[in-house]
Amino acid sequence: MSAADKHYKFINSRTGYVIFYHSLNACLSADEVKAELEKIKAQVAIQNRIYQETIYWEEIKDDETPSSLGSL
């Protein structure tokens, strides 16, 4: 993954659990990003057999990366 990519997590709003991660190229327009995220959201809902309306996405910021969480 490139540092220029934007990273997203898809969350089940009923459980609060992250159920999918996805990265998109940062050079996409806002409309293209939204369209792609909606498409991924539909696929995630189908794969997990849950209603699409119960899934939302959030952009992962640099301070949320696993390397900043430390080692176990």
Side-chain angles (χ1 to χ4, degrees), residues 23-36:
S23 297
L24 295 174
N25 193 315
C27 69
L28 295 174
S29 71
D31 290 336
E32 291 172 320
V33 168
K34 185 173 180 179
E36 186 67 24

Side-chain angles (χ1 to χ4, degrees), residues 3-62:
D5 290 343
K6 288 189 176 184
H7 309 288
Y8 297 89
K9 57 186 175 182
F10 290 78
I11 302 164
N12 181 335
S13 64
R14 289 189 179 185
T15 63
Y17 295 133
V18 175
I19 56 177
F20 192 74
Y21 292 93
H22 190 71
S23 297
L24 295 174
N25 193 315
C27 69
L28 295 174
S29 71
D31 290 336
E32 291 172 320
V33 168
K34 185 173 180 179
E36 186 67 24
L37 290 173
E38 285 293 334
K39 185 169 66 172
I40 299 297
K41 179 176 148 180
Q43 292 172 352
V44 170
I46 291 167
Q47 289 172 350
N48 289 283
R49 297 182 179 163
I50 57 178
Y51 290 110
Q52 186 172 343
E53 294 80 19
T54 63
I55 299 173
Y56 67 97
W57 68 79
E58 291 180 355
E59 184 177 353
I60 299 172
K61 303 295 182 188
D62 289 339

